[in-house]
Amino acid sequence: MRAVRMTAPGVLELTEVPTPEAGPGEVLLRVGAVGACHSDLHILDAAAGMFPTPITLGHEIAGTVETAGPGVEGWSSGDRAAVYGIIGCGRCRACLRGEENRCRVTPVGGIGLSRDGGLAEYVVVPASRLLHVGDMDLTQAAPLTDAGLTPYHAVELARPRLRPGTTCVVIGIGGLGHMAVQILLATTAVRIVAVDTSVAALDLAGRLGAHHVVQAGPDAVEKIRDLVGPPPDGADVVLDFVGAQPTLDTARQVVATGGQLLLVGLAGGTLPVRPVADEPPTVPLETDVVVPFWGTRAELHEVVALARDGRLHADVQTFPLAEAPEAYEALRRGDIHGRAVIVP
Ligand code: NAD
Ligand code: ZN
Ligand code: ZN
């Protein structure tokens, strides 16, 4: 079968590999769609040894069951499913609570991260990772598994602060951010301030229903403070879906005293946390800093329900498998709006 693999650090190639077979408890899934997540670019850019090579990337997968391996119950050929990408150890305290995204044994284990992923015609996944999606378009189902799930989980963590009338600043309206805006609108009554460098991303945020849009730049802090109030007031919640130095610096300067700052993006910035008495604090007093990771299977079930009810819709640009490397280059250049989805 054809597969797009990271053959060495930084190298993404279309290759031919043997079609895998489902082992006990696994299914062979015919990939219907796989989202191109910005994290794949971070994986490609990571130092040698951080991720196994060669590996088929792609951790945002939806498809159709081709064959079920020995011992699999409840799934048969033709069933359509979204894939929960995390594979925790299943035995630690976090996994036993259903919080595999907090596994204390294999913290970033997953499909397309520590074993072959979905940028291929077929992928083998443990049957326990599948969720039914009914007749949903698979190019819609795939982005739910990360671009939908990760912001949903972040919003869950922030939910006690997302009271009606509060303000949430969303930085980075790309694959994750454009889903975050919809999740906030569907599940809270907060005022949304969307921030991005790209005018096209801000247009998308506005069309989706964000109440204010601010173009990121040297005066972003000032413009956001005009909307959320100057310190010690500010935004009740800030969701940073970029995580670069300029966005973290913006986030910490616009979050309210007693607010919450959720750092989802992995662009390599550092958040200084320095409580001192004789200078303005780097992060306001009583502010929570959270570093969310992906989400739980139960949350993915809720994300799929929102989408099946028509309240969550990914803005997708599709590419054939052979053009996956070009899709990732476009993502790197900032030329993808919403989510690029590869259709093998
Ligand atoms: P994306 O490329 O689709 O979107 C990023 C958006 O940020 C784009 O709209 C871009 O214009 C905007 N942006 C870039 N630099 C900016 C800046 N300085 N100021 C304001 N906006 C800026 O990426 P994505 O797939 O949505 O992923 C976003 C980030 O989240 C990535 O770093 C990714 O690795 C990370 N991620 C984290 C998790 C997690 O569990 N923590 C899960 C998935 C993705
Ligand atoms: Zn991802
Ligand atoms: Zn575990």
Side-chain angles (χ1 to χ4, degrees):
M1 67 170 187
R2 292 171 309 138
V4 173
R5 315 197 86 200
M6 177 168 76
T7 49
V11 183
L12 191 64
E13 293 183 294
L14 180 67
T15 59
E16 280 285 332
V17 295
T19 303
E21 281 175 29
E26 295 178 330
V27 300
L28 178 67
L29 200 67
R30 179 150 39 84
V31 178
V34 55
C37 179
H38 207 113
S39 297
D40 292 324
L41 296 179
H42 299 317
I43 293 171
L44 283 162
D45 293 344
M50 285 283 291
F51 293 92
T53 50
I55 184 173
T56 303
L57 294 182
H59 54 265
E60 205 176 83
I61 308 166
T64 308
V65 174
E66 186 80 9
T67 52
V72 170
E73 283 175 19
W75 291 97
S76 48
S77 177
D79 287 345
R80 296 154 57 77
V83 178
Y84 176 70
I86 301 178
I87 304 184
C89 75
R91 293 178 302 278
C92 75
R93 191 190 333 195
C95 285
L96 290 173
R97 292 180 62 89
E99 297 172 339
E100 288 176 85
N101 56 329
R102 295 179 175 180
C103 177
R104 297 184 182 198
V105 180
T106 53
V108 275
I111 297 156
L113 301 173
S114 57
R115 59 185 269 168
D116 283 338
L119 274 174
E121 291 174 74
Y122 296 93
V123 62
V124 167
V125 303
S128 60
R129 307 296 96 179
L130 299 182
L131 279 90
H132 285 285
V133 295
D135 59 2
M136 190 189 299
D137 182 341
L138 295 178
T139 63
Q140 281 297 312
L144 299 177
T145 64
D146 181 6
L149 175 57
T150 301
Y152 186 86
H153 173 65
V155 167
E156 278 299 294
L157 296 176
R159 194 166 298 285
R161 281 195 178 71
L162 294 169
R163 310 294 307 158
T166 60
T167 302
C168 181
V169 170
V170 182
I171 305 176
I173 312 295
L176 273 63
H178 91 290
M179 300 295 265
V181 169
Q182 298 174 67
I183 290 163
L184 286 165
L185 288 169
T187 70
T188 74
V190 301
R191 190 165 63 116
I192 301 168
V193 179
V195 182
D196 203 296
T197 42
S198 145
V199 172
L202 294 177
D203 284 349
L204 176 58
R207 281 202 301 282
L208 292 171
H211 304 90
H212 305 275
V213 298
V214 172
Q215 188 165 20
D219 56 350
V221 169
E222 209 178 306
K223 288 193 281 189
I224 299 167
R225 280 180 178 170
D226 285 345
L227 296 166
V228 302
D233 200 0
D236 302 271
V237 173
V238 179
L239 293 164
D240 184 349
F241 291 110
V242 182
Q245 199 57 52
T247 62
L248 294 181
D249 285 337
T250 298
R252 67 183 177 80
Q253 293 180 79
V254 302
V255 69
T257 297
Q260 193 167 14
L261 195 52
L262 296 104
L263 315 181
V264 181
L266 306 170
T270 299
L271 183 76
V273 179
R274 188 182 64 226
V276 287
D278 54 350
E279 283 176 41
T282 55
V283 171
L285 296 172
E286 288 285 321
T287 295
D288 284 349
V289 174
V290 184
V291 187
F293 177 60
W294 222 331
T296 69
R297 263 190 294 178
E299 287 165 344
L300 181 55
H301 192 271
E302 292 165 10
V303 170
V304 170
L306 274 181
R308 292 185 71 172
D309 281 354
R311 283 180 283 183
L312 183 58
H313 181 90
D315 203 89
V316 303
Q317 254 172 279
T318 58
F319 295 82
L321 186 64
E323 286 173 24
E326 286 78 17
Y328 280 100
E329 281 317 310
L331 183 65
R332 202 187 278 285
R333 288 193 306 271
D335 286 345
I336 300 292
H337 308 301
R339 196 50 135 192
V341 172
I342 317 296
V343 178

